Amino acid sequence: MLTHIGLNLLQRPLSRQMRQVQQLAIRGLATSSSFYQPRNNLRSALRHGQQSLGDTSKFGQYRRIIPLSLVAAKPRPHEPSLSSVPAHISRPPYAKTGNPPTWETEIPILDAEEVECLRAASEVARDALALGGSMVRAGVTTEAIDDEVHRFIISRDAYPSCLNYMGFPRSICTSINNVIAHGIPGQRPLEEGDFVNIDVTAFKQGFHGDTSATFAVGQVDAQGVALMDATRESLELAIQACGPGVLLATIGEIISVHAEALGYSVSQELTGHGIGRCFHQNPLIYHHYNEEPGEMVPGMAFTIEPILCQGVATGLQWPDGWTITTTDGGRSAQFEHTVLITDQGVEVLTA
């Protein structure tokens, strides 16, 4: 994923000048620590040396994840070494500097050759996600999962797209319990009753393929299972509705109707996105009610990646500049696929 915060103003046709201003704003939002406003319970927990808080509230039985430090410490862009990503593996343009390309206003329409390249990248991402998911169990660290997934991706002559994207320091995102998105893999062992979203993107043959899923760590409580099921179902329903001539806004309507009927909120700060030669490109795919213009046409590729939350879906950004948690400590879940619009309907490339 690694989608940006506060993108609701996108998708409307813009002049080149306004597009440049927009991109500066996006990068500022994605890198700023100004979203982080630590609450008293976080400060109290840090004073007592705790890494998480036991939660027996209406949201269920799990341990909230909190930052280890309130000191701003966003990772600096760092080009991967040749020992971590061999020289023969093609790297995306941002791998050296961390700076992603400016989004083009137009929505790319892929030809048959480009579709095959996107399919190859998507298959690597799919298989890498399956490997990561197979490692999810109590006692395993997300850092260990990241290491194995990284090795797998490069073994397939692909590049882990997250690595050094705007300075992101690892190859995948791992978001546990109340972490909405962009969790940085670390040394905290997974615990019985956690669930964790693993988000994988792979770059191969000049194209990115992107997918994610939320995995249970042992026995998750009934409320957590219900949240995961609802999120997975919302993605499936949205995909089933896709096809030529369908309004892009239909995706948000379907997801919102399903989520709200079950009592969940939908993140409006993080979106799906076009994907192909660029990690992120138009169209923006909103998962909430919206009236954005545009319809699906054959050759269009994008991700659908709804995030459903038990309570408030508003995000709180940590001082690391990446990790986003719910403001009320409720859990969130996410599932994601890369899809291609075809003449007949839709193909899920990461299935």
Side-chain angles (χ1 to χ4, degrees):
M1 184 177 70
L2 282 184
T3 43
H4 303 291
I5 299 172
L7 295 177
N8 296 343
L9 55 89
L10 290 182
Q11 183 72 3
R12 300 181 178 89
L14 297 174
S15 67
R16 177 173 292 275
Q17 182 180 16
M18 285 302 297
R19 175 66 60 177
Q20 292 172 343
V21 171
Q22 180 191 80
Q23 293 303 316
L24 290 174
I26 290 170
R27 294 183 185 182
L29 287 167
T31 57
S32 172
S33 61
S34 62
F35 294 99
Y36 181 71
Q37 297 176 345
R39 297 174 292 141
N40 291 335
N41 63 335
L42 297 186
R43 292 188 181 278
S44 175
L46 290 169
R47 283 198 298 270
H48 290 85
Q50 298 171 333
Q51 294 186 20
S52 56
L53 297 174
D55 184 9
T56 57
S57 72
K58 63 180 180 179
F59 296 133
Q61 298 290 331
Y62 61 99
R63 292 174 68 83
R64 296 182 185 180
I65 308 302
I66 66 171
L68 297 178
S69 172
L70 299 182
V71 177
K74 181 176 174 63
R76 297 175 62 86
H78 183 73
E79 182 181 8
S81 66
L82 293 179
S83 61
S84 64
V85 181
H88 74 276
I89 293 176
S90 177
R91 303 181 182 211
Y94 59 79
K96 183 177 181 65
T97 65
N99 296 323
T102 298
W103 291 21
E104 295 295 330
T105 304
E106 295 76 17
I107 298 174
I109 303 300
L110 306 181
D111 60 27
E113 182 178 349
E114 291 172 321
V115 166
E116 289 308 308
C117 293
L118 178 60
R119 181 174 286 112
S122 297
E123 289 174 353
V124 175
R126 175 200 65 196
D127 295 344
L129 177 63
L131 171 63
S134 72
M135 295 180 64
V136 171
R137 60 184 178 275
V140 175
T141 66
T142 50
E143 187 174 77
I145 295 173
D146 177 85
D147 288 341
E148 285 300 317
V149 171
H150 175 93
R151 281 191 282 269
F152 175 81
I153 291 173
I154 64 173
S155 76
R156 297 279 293 270
D157 291 331
Y159 180 93
S161 301
C162 293
L163 187 59
N164 206 36
Y165 181 85
M166 299 182 73
F168 192 78
R170 306 294 299 196
S171 296
I172 62 175
C173 297
T174 52
S175 302
I176 303 170
N177 296 342
N178 57 303
V179 178
I180 294 177
H182 302 171
I184 300 174
Q187 297 181 358
R188 176 195 182 274
L190 294 172
E191 300 178 0
E192 182 78 15
D194 285 343
F195 60 56
V196 56
N197 176 269
I198 298 177
D199 193 338
V200 181
T201 310
F203 179 74
K204 185 178 176 70
Q205 297 180 18
F207 283 75
H208 299 267
D210 191 1
T211 186
S212 83
T214 300
F215 300 92
V217 183
Q219 190 70 34
V220 173
D221 70 326
Q223 289 168 271
V225 171
L227 174 63
M228 287 191 289
D229 287 347
T231 309
R232 185 188 300 107
E233 290 163 2
S234 72
L235 172 60
E236 292 170 353
L237 290 170
I239 291 173
Q240 290 170 15
C242 291
V246 176
L247 297 177
L248 291 168
T250 302
I251 292 172
E253 181 177 2
I254 288 173
I255 292 170
S256 295
V257 167
H258 187 68
E260 291 179 7
L262 297 172
Y264 301 117
S265 60
V266 180
S267 173
Q268 298 186 23
E269 299 170 329
L270 297 160
T271 74
H273 51 88
I275 192 165
R277 293 187 184 277
C278 292
F279 192 167
H280 300 103
Q281 59 191 32
N282 281 322
L284 266 295
I285 304 299
Y286 298 96
H287 305 117
H288 59 281
Y289 291 112
N290 67 92
E291 297 180 352
E292 295 298 318
E295 63 181 40
M296 304 174 199
V297 298
M300 184 184 293
F302 51 82
T303 69
I304 306 176
E305 44 187 296
I307 299 172
L308 270 57
C309 299
Q310 290 180 304
V312 177
T314 305
L316 184 77
Q317 191 173 64
W318 284 9
D320 64 20
W322 284 108
T323 307
I324 303 170
T325 56
T326 57
T327 56
D328 58 7
R331 286 173 291 189
S332 71
Q334 182 181 35
F335 289 85
E336 172 187 13
H337 275 307
T338 291
V339 303
L340 172 73
I341 304 304
T342 68
D343 291 328
Q344 292 73 38
V346 61
E347 179 182 355
V348 183
L349 299 180
T350 47

